[in-house]
Amino acid sequence: MSETEYDIIIFGATGFVGKIMTRYMAQHVNNGLRWAIAGRSKAKLEKLQTHTSELNSENRPDIFIADAKDDAQLKKLCERTRVIVSTVGPFALFGEPLIKACVEVGTDYCDITGEPHWILQMISRYQQQALQSGARIVNCCGFDSIPSDLGVYFTQKHAEEKFTVPCNQINMRVTQLKGAFSGGTYASLINAIKEISKTPALRQAMSTPYALCPSNHTFSTQQTQHRYAAYDELTESWLAPFVMEGINTKIVHRSNALMGNRYGREFKYDEAILTGTGRRGRKRASRMAIASGALVVAAAISPLRWLLERFFIPKPGEGPSQQQQDEGKYCLSFVGRLPGNKRINCTVSGDKDPGYGSTAKMLAQAATCLALDIPKQEPAGGFWTPATIFGDKLIDRLQAHAGISFDIKDA
């Protein structure tokens, strides 16, 4: 790929996450970075451009008009940049044309999808072409699944340094989570449930945590998947299902496979939310489990899905206020277990609403890392995970610029 005009172009910049990311880029990303914003509405892009100029007059992005369904426009966009970022979801509805354009041109790509069925389809359709063109495709560069994927990577790295071997099991527990979903996130989640529920073959493929691993993987260890309220002996607390577990566990196991089984062939990993002890903790876990199950059922059944979308969830483009984003925060605890009853405990914590304030910063730093820190062809083209392509380089960026901390608590 020849020299390009831009390092990063944000596609879908006028969407909910896109606007947050654009403002963050204007205020916090190095002025030497060449970047631009793109979307289908010139008026909205110009308004956003003006706003970014008010935030930082020396870091004003150029604008480009492109539609998510226009192959020619998307290809021209990809030809102008080293990395393209997409916030245009649901990705199963709008995401494929941009992936196709990237692998044709050889442009690197990051997104914030949390739709495993779509990722599987994209890998099966475009992996070989991406290898040939050199395009590195990195899905799940937001709250799903950077904290989980890099949290496991960070825990395993320190286990290897201290004990010379990786953990054979890691349990991720959400110990703090304050934030809200936007309409776009609900739309992606509901569409994913609808697509998976109506296609038996896809439903079967998605039922395993190994769904996104390469076909030649050798993993067969039974993994724990939380569906109901349960008591956790490890933490002496009640647990509830974590809505992101379905995508995060698949990304973590794909990372293990792509790194040559670095975590081990029998590595076990699960995620859940801690709800507390005693009767109060049990009741909270039960309520959360029931709510999670009800959402899945409602999203899978057409009349209930209509009621859910019409009366109970925000519309696409709607989301948490700036105050809610600023007041949001999260903390994830990774408890690693090794042979001989050895343990290591690490945490990943963020200072903003996880789905939006923090996700936008993660996506911006992932794209910047891919554009500036990761040499082209090293690694080669193909579909990568955050841990396998970024590793320590992104952890360093997130801690320095995105309000995210990776800490070792004890061992």
Side-chain angles (χ1 to χ4, degrees), residues 1 78 82-84 98-110 126-138 370 376-384 389:
M1 187 175 177
C78 290
R82 299 176 65 182
V83 175
I84 195 158
L98 186 55
I99 293 282
K100 181 174 181 288
C102 284
V103 299
E104 287 178 354
V105 174
T107 300
D108 293 340
Y109 166 100
C110 295
Y126 298 108
Q127 169 70 8
Q128 290 305 312
Q129 191 175 357
L131 278 169
Q132 294 170 2
S133 71
R136 282 89 62 88
I137 310 298
V138 193
L370 189 55
K376 195 66 176 172
Q377 308 302 333
E378 206 178 302
F383 284 73
W384 297 92
I389 195 166

